[in-house]
Amino acid sequence: MIIFAATAMMNANKGKVKYISASIALGLVIAVTAMAADKLHGSVNFTNSFYNTLTADTPPVPKKPRPLPKKQKNIPAVDSASSTGLPVSAVTDTTIASRQKDSFIVVRDTLKLKYSKDSLDAPIYYHADDSMVMDVPANKITLYGTSTTAKYADNELTAPGITFDQKNNLITASFKKDSTGKVIASPTFKQGDLITVSDSISFSPKSGKGLTKGTYTQQGEMFVYSERIKKIDTTSFYAYKARITTCNLDTPHFAFVSKKIKFINKKFAVTGPVHPEFEGVPLPIVLPFGIYPLAVSPRYYKRYRYSGNFNIDIQRLKINFKGDPDYSVNKSFKIRWSHSMDSKARPGVTFTANVDAGSNSFNLNTPNNPVLNFSNQLQSSISYSKVWKDKPFNINILANHNQNSVSKQISIMLPSVNFNVNTLYPFRRKEAAGTLKWYENIGVALNTSFANQTNFYDDTANAAKDIRPILTQIKQNMIWGARHSVPISLSLPPLGALQVSPSVSYSETWFQKKTVYSWDAANKKLDTSLNKGFYSAREMSFGLGISTRIFGMFGFSKNSKIQAIRHEIRPSMSISYKPDMNGKYFYKSQVDTNGNFRQFNVYENNLNSPFGPGKFGGIGFGIDNNIQMKVRDKKDTSADATKKITLIDGFSINGGYNFLIDSFQLTNLSLSARTNLFDKINITFGGSLDPYQYDTIGNRINRLVWKDKIFTLGRLSNGNVSLSTSFKGGDKTKQATTKKALGRGVNPMTGEQLTEEQEEAAYISNNPADFADFSIPWSVNFGFSFRFSQAFNRPLKKFKTSYYSDANFGGSVRLTEKWQIGFNGSYNFTTSDLGLISFSIAREMHCWQMAITIYPVGDRKFFSLIISPKSALLRDIKVNRTRYFYDLPSK
């Protein structure tokens, strides 16, 4: 590897450059001779750069030595600390010094570096596998070998042969053929994000301009071929007689052909007259110009700083024909913005944004997208957070947006601030030695939150004329609130098998308004009194938690397939006390003419919910279970090969008991269980047990159930069971990788979050050809949900149970290597209704896709036939045939 230009001369002067190739020995001799001649005369001349010296006809003529003056006065003193033994001034700004007797004669001389006009801004690094030929008269260097390289700044050229014309400041390269005439190597040029493979290339390292012939390059998802490409700067180039396509074959299935194209690297391309070609056959369709985005979505990126995407979609929909009584034109828009800040940009500071906002009618009017048609929620979030270095503080500032396209209500929270102080230990010594005292583990923290929120109803038609009504809504509906929490904890060492954790908590909430309801007997209506101001409420609690873990093992014989069953029990108990500090804010008021009363809190309808009433002094308890089984591993032939199978991931019961109330002291018992049988069937269960009895008219009485029925924990008032499973054929390893890639929700090439168009490919019911995985011969998925609840039926004088259940199913079958059929649907067993049922047929066509989708049931029946490129860049270039069928309401 050779370094030439002025840098190489300086390093060679210091003896730090090692030359490998014997073919450049002549250049070394010339360079060393020139430098030695200069040094003999007490000066170094940089007028000619090193690479000029390599190819110059004759070495530079050394200058005549400067005569020493006869007499020199005011000679400075010698600095004994100087490594040269010369005077300080001589060391810093002189080049020649001679000793005469006991004094120094110093001649001051300043180095003036002069570079030749053809000098480069940076050194060129080059390498040749075979040899290097120097043409001294022509000022040319040629590299030969299977792989030769030349690097200059961010330009890198790899080719079977490279020539550097020093006189014209030009680097050229071309392809290489074997004895049969077959091309075996081509020049590859890389500059920044641009990579090209060409038949020949020539470029100037000084200006950055270049010309290539027979060039292939890739811009985002676009593949470009051109007879000639002219590069004018680091970001722009022109192409002559070029084609652009998203097909990655050398002879693409389709392409857009134009005589002249301008490319802005990784952004977009602009063409003159352009026409499409299929299998090399031009179509008689010519557009006067074309603009092609070279990324799936407009993306901005600054290395080590930030990156993001920004999209604006504008929709104009005409319904029926002009002149029809139901003719209408709908205009809508949608804005999507995602932004992320690199963690290295400002350590401790993060800024993210995910904005999805627009017109209420945009989703509903998007064609061929039933998933989007039934989506009526738009949400946005912008977040800024900061963690102070070596400080216990951190802050998070949020702005949120929530929009319902059905009710047309828009809620905005701006700002939402969370300020936290991590746990501090005020009694701990700064330099603790030995074991800490118990009081040194007392920790205090602070959590503070503040939010401001408002909402309004979107009336786009009237807002365009007068926005003042919306501003009035924003002002009237604005509400704020704050909440502070000071947890105090004490970390104690384990007491044998028990872990003890005492705690104290103080909370305070700030409210904006008080609301008081009162019954107007004269007018028979409920009056509301609203007072705005600054109000606050407080709450304290004291607690002590105890937990432990119990293990049990049941073993089997060595010859048994089941080796052991392991049972883990995790019991926990807590003792807590909460005084009644908020009972004074609760009251009861009549609410209707039937004499019904309801309990209210004066701080209702605020941003933060009020504290609960009453005091609590009691215990909370719970127990969780985990059961695993150890069995012999059939896939491992070693003697002690076993594997663990989880039978029950968790089965828990939780409840509480309040000693300070006179009735209903025991709370409801909550049940939950979960398991994954054979790593295939996911089962979850949840329910609630009511431990108290009811009288004949449905009133709850203060008598426990097990006083009359010993073997029961209570009445199961509600519960739910869900089951889901899926099975697939084919190579499981490839399928697992694909599933993981889809689950990330980011572009694997850029690391950016997927845009909405890319996420549409994940919904098989929306665009099955995008989602179809032809490596899977078959797949089946099934899910089932069952729910029930009990309510007292007074006429029957007993509890009546209501049941709800539904199922969803789907699957696919690969008929051939290129054809696949799929289905998806749901069924509601409670109402005996079919949900959204779809059937699809997908055809794999390399860079194109074909999908036939049929929705035969539901309120919006339709079928569609779509043939389009797979690339999201060309998603609007498609053959689309869609028909909708609506069920008219009965008269």
Side-chain angles (χ1 to χ4, degrees):
M1 191 71 70
I2 307 302
I3 305 175
F4 57 91
T7 304
M9 178 179 178
M10 298 173 66
N11 288 338
N13 189 25
K14 298 176 182 178
K16 294 183 179 180
V17 175
K18 297 181 180 180
Y19 297 92
I20 301 174
S21 176
S23 61
I24 62 169
L26 176 61
L28 281 175
V29 174
I30 295 173
V32 173
T33 303
M35 289 186 290
D38 282 344
K39 290 183 72 66
L40 287 174
H41 294 86
S43 64
V44 180
N45 188 350
F46 288 94
T47 303
N48 295 317
S49 58
F50 182 54
Y51 72 92
N52 279 340
T53 306
L54 281 176
T55 57
D57 291 339
T58 57
V61 179
K63 293 183 178 180
K64 295 181 180 181
R66 180 183 299 177
L68 295 174
K70 296 181 180 180
K71 188 175 182 180
Q72 183 75 28
K73 296 182 179 181
N74 301 326
I75 299 177
V78 177
D79 186 358
S80 59
S82 172
S83 61
T84 61
L86 296 175
V88 176
S89 59
V91 175
T92 56
D93 59 1
T94 62
T95 57
I96 302 175
S98 63
R99 181 183 293 273
Q100 292 185 358
K101 295 183 180 181
D102 297 331
S103 62
F104 287 96
I105 303 298
V106 180
V107 178
R108 301 180 182 273
D109 192 11
T110 303
L111 294 177
K112 296 182 179 180
L113 303 180
K114 296 182 179 180
Y115 298 93
S116 60
K117 295 180 180 180
D118 57 351
S119 297
L120 301 176
D121 297 331
I124 295 181
Y125 300 85
Y126 62 91
H127 167 77
D129 282 349
D130 184 69
S131 60
M132 180 183 74
V133 175
M134 301 176 59
D135 187 350
V136 176
N139 287 4
K140 291 184 178 180
I141 300 175
T142 304
L143 308 176
Y144 295 95
T146 305
S147 176
T148 62
T149 59
K151 297 180 181 180
Y152 172 74
D154 64 341
N155 301 273
E156 181 178 351
L157 176 63
T158 303
I162 299 176
T163 299
F164 174 55
D165 186 343
Q166 174 190 319
K167 182 177 180 180
N168 297 316
N169 221 326
L170 193 67
I171 295 178
T172 59
S174 61
F175 62 83
K176 181 180 179 179
K177 296 182 178 179
D178 59 11
S179 58
T180 63
K182 181 181 178 181
V183 177
I184 58 175
S186 299
T188 300
F189 177 73
K190 180 179 180 181
Q191 184 184 48
D193 294 333
L194 176 65
I195 301 177
T196 63
V197 178
S198 310
D199 292 339
S200 65
I201 183 172
S202 61
F203 79 97
S204 171
K206 189 173 183 65
S207 65
K209 299 179 179 180
L211 181 67
T212 65
K213 295 182 179 180
T215 302
Y216 289 89
T217 184
Q218 183 175 357
Q219 295 285 303
E221 291 189 30
M222 287 287 190
F223 297 91
V224 182
Y225 171 79
S226 177
E227 290 187 8
R228 292 201 303 269
I229 287 181
K230 181 179 180 181
K231 196 171 190 303
I232 58 174
D233 54 40
T234 58
T235 60
S236 306
F237 61 92
Y238 292 92
Y240 175 73
K241 290 186 177 180
R243 69 168 185 251
I244 56 178
T245 179
T246 57
C247 182
N248 60 357
L249 298 180
D250 291 339
T251 303
H253 290 115
F254 77 101
F256 296 93
V257 181
S258 180
K259 189 175 182 180
K260 296 180 181 180
I261 305 179
K262 180 180 180 180
F263 290 89
I264 305 298
N265 194 25
K266 300 294 183 182
K267 293 183 179 179
F268 62 89
V270 181
T271 72
V274 59
H275 68 272
E277 284 187 357
F278 288 89
E279 300 290 350
V281 179
L283 295 184
I285 301 174
V286 179
L287 300 176
F289 66 92
I291 300 177
Y292 307 86
L294 300 178
V296 173
S297 60
R299 176 176 178 260
Y300 55 90
Y301 171 77
K302 188 171 183 179
R303 193 176 184 183
Y304 303 130
R305 299 291 293 179
Y306 52 77
S307 61
N309 294 279
F310 185 81
N311 297 272
I312 298 179
D313 293 331
I314 299 175
Q315 185 183 87
R316 189 172 186 267
L317 179 65
K318 290 184 178 181
I319 301 176
N320 293 319
F321 297 95
K322 193 172 184 180
D324 292 346
D326 53 354
Y327 171 77
S328 63
V329 178
N330 181 273
K331 297 179 181 179
S332 58
F333 70 94
K334 194 172 189 179
I335 298 175
R336 296 188 303 277
W337 175 41
S338 65
H339 178 93
S340 61
M341 181 179 177
D342 197 304
S343 59
K344 296 182 287 294
R346 294 183 62 187
V349 176
T350 60
F351 177 79
T352 60
N354 286 285
V355 175
D356 185 9
S359 303
N360 290 310
S361 60
F362 185 91
N363 288 354
L364 182 63
N365 294 325
T366 302
N368 306 323
N369 196 331
V371 176
L372 196 62
N373 294 152
F374 291 100
S375 300
N376 56 15
Q377 292 290 331
L378 298 176
Q379 296 178 343
S380 305
S381 176
I382 301 176
S383 172
Y384 170 86
S385 61
K386 178 178 176 62
V387 178
W388 279 266
K389 184 180 180 181
D390 300 327
K391 301 290 184 181
F393 317 123
N394 64 83
I395 191 171
N396 186 24
I397 303 175
L398 296 170
N400 296 322
H401 149 267
N402 192 300
Q403 181 176 348
N404 188 306
S405 60
V406 176
S407 65
K408 297 185 178 182
Q409 186 181 39
I410 299 176
S411 299
I412 298 176
M413 182 173 287
L414 178 69
S416 174
V417 182
N418 297 291
F419 179 77
N420 303 307
V421 179
N422 298 333
T423 303
L424 302 175
Y425 298 93
F427 305 110
R428 185 170 293 182
R429 292 163 288 173
K430 293 184 178 180
E431 297 180 1
T435 306
L436 296 174
K437 305 295 184 182
W438 69 268
Y439 56 84
E440 291 184 289
N441 289 323
I442 297 176
V444 182
L446 172 66
N447 302 311
T448 296
S449 63
F450 171 83
N452 182 71
Q453 179 179 298
T454 188
N455 62 82
F456 61 93
Y457 286 91
D458 177 24
D459 190 352
T460 307
N462 294 329
K465 301 177 182 178
D466 189 0
I467 199 174
R468 286 178 295 180
I470 291 182
L471 296 178
T472 301
Q473 291 184 60
I474 294 175
K475 182 179 179 181
Q476 291 178 347
N477 298 332
M478 188 169 292
I479 187 172
W480 60 266
R483 176 162 286 182
H484 315 276
S485 176
V486 182
I488 303 174
S489 60
L490 175 60
S491 300
L492 296 177
L495 301 178
L498 300 177
Q499 181 67 50
V500 181
S501 303
S503 63
V504 178
S505 178
Y506 171 81
S507 299
E508 181 173 325
T509 303
W510 293 349
F511 302 102
Q512 180 188 11
K513 59 185 178 180
K514 271 186 177 182
T515 305
V516 178
Y517 297 99
S518 59
W519 178 252
D520 186 352
N523 297 317
K524 297 181 180 180
K525 65 184 183 67
L526 188 66
D527 292 336
T528 303
S529 175
L530 180 65
N531 297 315
K532 289 189 175 182
F534 178 83
Y535 306 97
S536 62
R538 299 159 187 83
E539 184 178 72
M540 287 193 69
S541 64
F542 307 86
L544 177 68
I546 304 173
S547 62
T548 187
R549 301 172 70 183
I550 304 172
F551 299 91
M553 182 81 72
F554 183 80
F556 295 83
S557 63
K558 293 184 178 180
N559 298 327
S560 175
K561 181 180 178 180
I562 301 175
Q563 295 293 295
I565 294 180
R566 178 177 177 268
H567 183 197
E568 179 183 354
I569 305 174
R570 295 186 289 264
S572 62
M573 186 180 70
S574 63
I575 303 173
S576 61
Y577 170 72
K578 181 182 76 70
D580 184 10
M581 302 176 64
N582 296 277
K584 57 186 176 181
Y585 304 123
F586 287 86
Y587 65 96
K588 288 186 177 182
S589 174
Q590 183 177 341
V591 294
D592 56 28
T593 56
N594 295 326
N596 294 318
F597 283 78
R598 180 192 156 191
Q599 187 181 56
F600 294 95
N601 187 293
V602 295
Y603 295 132
E604 287 182 2
N605 304 321
N606 276 278
L607 189 60
N608 293 315
S609 58
F611 296 113
K615 57 184 177 179
F616 181 87
I619 61 173
F621 53 87
I623 185 170
D624 196 10
N625 297 265
N626 176 272
I627 301 178
Q628 294 180 339
M629 180 172 61
K630 184 183 291 186
V631 299
R632 290 187 179 275
D633 191 353
K634 295 181 179 180
K635 297 181 181 180
D636 195 337
T637 58
S638 58
D640 298 329
T642 59
K643 65 177 182 180
K644 292 182 180 180
I645 298 177
T646 301
L647 301 179
I648 298 178
D649 289 325
F651 176 68
S652 62
I653 302 176
N654 296 278
Y657 192 89
N658 189 352
F659 294 101
L660 301 182
I661 56 178
D662 56 0
S663 60
F664 305 109
Q665 296 171 315
L666 183 64
T667 64
N668 285 0
L669 303 178
S670 62
L671 307 176
S672 66
R674 59 195 183 278
T675 186
N676 186 4
L677 296 180
F678 316 109
D679 291 330
K680 284 292 183 181
I681 304 176
N682 294 301
I683 302 175
T684 60
F685 166 78
S688 179
L689 289 171
D690 189 344
Y692 289 96
Q693 300 182 22
Y694 286 75
D695 60 19
T696 56
I697 60 173
N699 294 322
R700 200 182 192 204
I701 59 176
N702 190 29
R703 183 176 178 83
L704 294 172
V705 174
W706 51 74
K707 288 188 176 182
D708 297 327
K709 298 179 181 180
I710 300 177
F711 300 103
T712 182
L713 293 178
R715 180 180 55 85
L716 191 60
S717 58
N718 60 79
N720 63 85
V721 179
S722 62
L723 179 149
S724 63
T725 185
S726 63
F727 300 91
K728 296 180 181 179
D731 191 338
K732 301 295 189 298
T733 304
K734 293 182 179 179
Q735 294 168 20
T737 303
T738 303
K739 184 176 180 181
K740 183 177 180 181
L742 289 173
R744 285 197 299 265
V746 298
N747 189 324
M749 299 297 295
T750 64
E752 294 298 320
Q753 184 179 358
L754 294 180
T755 62
E756 183 176 299
E757 287 78 17
Q758 293 170 313
E759 290 175 348
E760 287 177 2
Y763 296 97
I764 189 171
S765 61
N766 178 33
N767 203 339
D770 281 350
F771 189 72
D773 188 348
F774 287 87
S775 66
I776 301 176
W778 59 270
S779 67
V780 176
N781 61 80
F782 176 77
F784 176 77
S785 175
F786 174 77
R787 304 171 302 279
F788 68 91
S789 61
Q790 289 187 341
F792 192 84
N793 190 317
R794 291 196 175 188
L796 299 177
K797 297 183 178 180
K798 66 177 182 179
F799 282 94
K800 183 180 179 181
T801 305
S802 300
Y803 300 95
Y804 310 91
S805 60
D806 50 63
N808 59 80
F809 49 87
S812 64
V813 177
R814 187 183 66 192
L815 301 178
T816 67
E817 293 296 326
K818 301 293 184 181
W819 286 93
Q820 187 183 84
I821 61 174
F823 62 95
N824 279 276
S826 61
Y827 183 79
N828 191 319
F829 292 97
T830 305
T831 60
S832 300
D833 290 332
L834 278 173
L836 200 63
I837 305 294
S838 68
F839 298 93
S840 63
I841 301 176
R843 173 68 164 90
E844 165 65 27
M845 298 189 295
H846 188 252
C847 54
W848 282 70
Q849 63 188 6
M850 184 187 75
I852 301 174
T853 308
I854 303 173
Y855 287 81
V857 297
D859 295 335
R860 295 175 59 128
K861 305 180 183 70
F862 77 93
F863 75 88
S864 66
L865 169 64
I866 301 176
I867 302 177
S868 64
K870 286 184 177 180
S871 172
L873 289 174
L874 305 176
R875 62 182 179 271
D876 293 326
I877 303 175
K878 59 188 176 184
V879 178
N880 181 15
R881 182 69 172 175
T882 304
R883 284 292 180 269
Y884 286 89
F885 304 92
Y886 298 92
D887 290 337
L888 296 177
S890 58
K891 296 182 180 179

